[in-house]
């Protein structure tokens, strides 16, 4: 089953407007270095428009994504951002259920599920994050935790919708720590996720879903991850803030 690889940069709450423009322009200019890979930039919400206009000015096919949204289209939700607003700014993707959202802002699977459905209804591709903590891994609970998150976050999706989702497996202990999962550890969980997706839909649909790995991906560890059969790209935090590193990772998936 050939799946187009997808590498997304999660800038988190970093950069300023000038630096966001500069990084976007650099990635757009060098996009050809990883031509076979779908590339996505996910800036902070306030810079989505700047990044979008910079990509448009460069006539770039690099995708635009947000890092979060609410599941409501409009209304009295102070401080929140609605899916149609992201679409209005040219977003095609949205990261949902990132571990920082789950642990720092109390997002539970049911909320991620509602956001996933709202994103799909608005025409956005949700990048749905799952992953176990170090404690959970050490207690041999990785499979149970990840299964619960996948089933809870993706419950009730039609096969046609499920196929559009990108799942990001991000072991929490590997995020921002410099501790990357071994390719074998990652592959094992990616295969488990694909098996769960097959149960939620069919093996054919599951075979078309892209599953990214995230957690301290760098240019020097990306190639080994990319060789694994169920790793279809990367969700990149820290290393996405430098064009060289981001493109180095993308190239490894090309
Ligand atoms: C992330 O936050 O999605 C992530 C993978 O971060 P890092 O690459 O910095 O570990």
């Amino acid at each position: 089953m050939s799946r187009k690889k997808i590498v997304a940069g999660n800038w988190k709450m970093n950069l300023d407007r000038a630096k966001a423009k500069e990084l976007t322009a650099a990635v757009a200019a060098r996009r050809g270095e990883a031509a076979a890979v779908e590339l996505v930039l996910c800036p902070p919400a306030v810079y989505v428009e700047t990044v979008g206009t910079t990509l448009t000015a460069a006539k770039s096919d690099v995708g635009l994504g947000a890092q979060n949204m609410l599941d409501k289209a409009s209304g009295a939700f102070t401080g929140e951002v609605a899916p149609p607003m992201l679409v209005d700014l040219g977003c095609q993707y949205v990261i949902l259920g990132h571990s920082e959202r789950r642990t720092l802002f109390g997002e539970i699977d049911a909320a991620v599920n509602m956001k996933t459905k709202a994103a799909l209804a608005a025409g956005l591709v949700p990048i749905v994050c799952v992953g176990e903590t170090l404690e959970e891994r050490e207690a041999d609970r990785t499979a149970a935790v990840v299964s619960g998150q996948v089933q809870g976050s993706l419950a009730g999706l039609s096969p046609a919708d499920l196929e559009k989702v990108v799942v990001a497996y991000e072991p929490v202990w590997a995020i921002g720590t410099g501790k990357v999962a071994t390719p074998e550890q990652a592959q094992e969980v990616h295969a488990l996720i694909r098996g769960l997706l097959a149960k939620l839909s069919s093996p054919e649909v599951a075979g078309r879903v892209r599953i990214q790995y995230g957690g301290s991906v760098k240019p020097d560890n990306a190639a080994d991850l990319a060789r694994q059969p169920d790793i279809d790209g990367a969700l990149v935090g820290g290393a996405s803030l430098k064009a060289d590193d981001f493109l180095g990772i993308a190239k490894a998936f090309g």
Side-chain angles (χ1 to χ4, degrees):
M1 180 73 54
S2 107
R3 294 175 290 269
K4 187 165 189 185
K5 303 287 191 286
I6 174 165
V7 173
N10 174 13
W11 293 358
K12 310 194 185 188
M13 200 173 72
N14 290 302
L15 306 180
D16 57 24
R17 195 149 63 102
K19 288 191 181 119
K21 263 191 206 178
E22 198 182 311
L23 179 55
T24 304
V27 171
R30 294 176 53 187
R31 196 261 180 279
E33 293 175 26
V37 178
E38 201 166 309
L39 291 186
V40 183
L41 301 180
C42 301
V46 289
Y47 300 142
V48 164
E49 185 164 21
T50 296
V51 170
T53 52
T54 306
L55 290 172
T56 304
K59 297 190 173 38
S60 175
D61 72 343
V62 171
L64 180 63
Q67 300 173 12
N68 181 36
M69 53 164 229
L70 193 64
D71 60 308
K72 307 288 187 295
S74 66
F77 300 103
T78 302
E80 291 292 342
V81 173
M85 294 174 181
L86 297 178
V87 172
D88 197 17
L89 296 186
C91 274
Q92 303 107 352
Y93 305 82
V94 60
I95 299 171
L96 296 174
H98 188 279
S99 75
E100 286 149 22
R101 302 286 329 159
R102 290 176 185 266
T103 56
L104 302 174
F105 302 100
E107 271 189 26
I108 57 171
D109 291 329
V112 179
N113 184 236
M114 284 165 72
K115 290 183 178 198
T116 301
K117 289 174 176 162
L120 288 161
L124 293 163
V125 172
I127 299 177
V128 177
C129 304
V130 297
E132 82 287 0
T133 62
L134 185 57
E135 268 178 359
E136 290 163 344
R137 177 162 279 269
E138 286 175 348
D140 231 358
R141 295 189 51 230
T142 299
V145 168
V146 172
S147 302
Q149 289 174 335
V150 168
Q151 283 162 336
S153 304
L154 303 179
L157 265 57
S158 68
D161 273 347
L162 194 62
E163 199 171 310
K164 293 177 197 150
V165 171
V166 174
V167 178
Y169 168 56
E170 300 205 300
V172 178
W173 49 271
I175 296 179
T177 58
K179 272 191 226 163
V180 64
T182 65
E184 295 72 27
Q185 282 174 323
Q187 167 58 28
E188 189 183 6
V189 181
H190 281 233
L192 168 96
I193 293 171
R194 203 172 303 286
L196 287 168
L197 296 174
K199 281 193 197 141
L200 288 175
S201 55
S202 67
E204 291 70 33
V205 167
R208 288 195 281 270
V209 175
R210 276 100 49 94
I211 308 175
Q212 296 174 312
Y213 169 79
S216 297
V217 181
K218 305 278 182 280
D220 62 0
N221 59 30
D224 284 343
L225 292 161
R227 269 192 283 277
Q228 300 301 312
D230 288 292
I231 300 185
D232 308 313
L235 181 55
V236 186
S240 72
L241 297 171
K242 291 198 178 121
D244 267 349
D245 289 350
F246 186 60
L247 286 155
I249 291 166
K251 264 193 254 180
F253 282 92

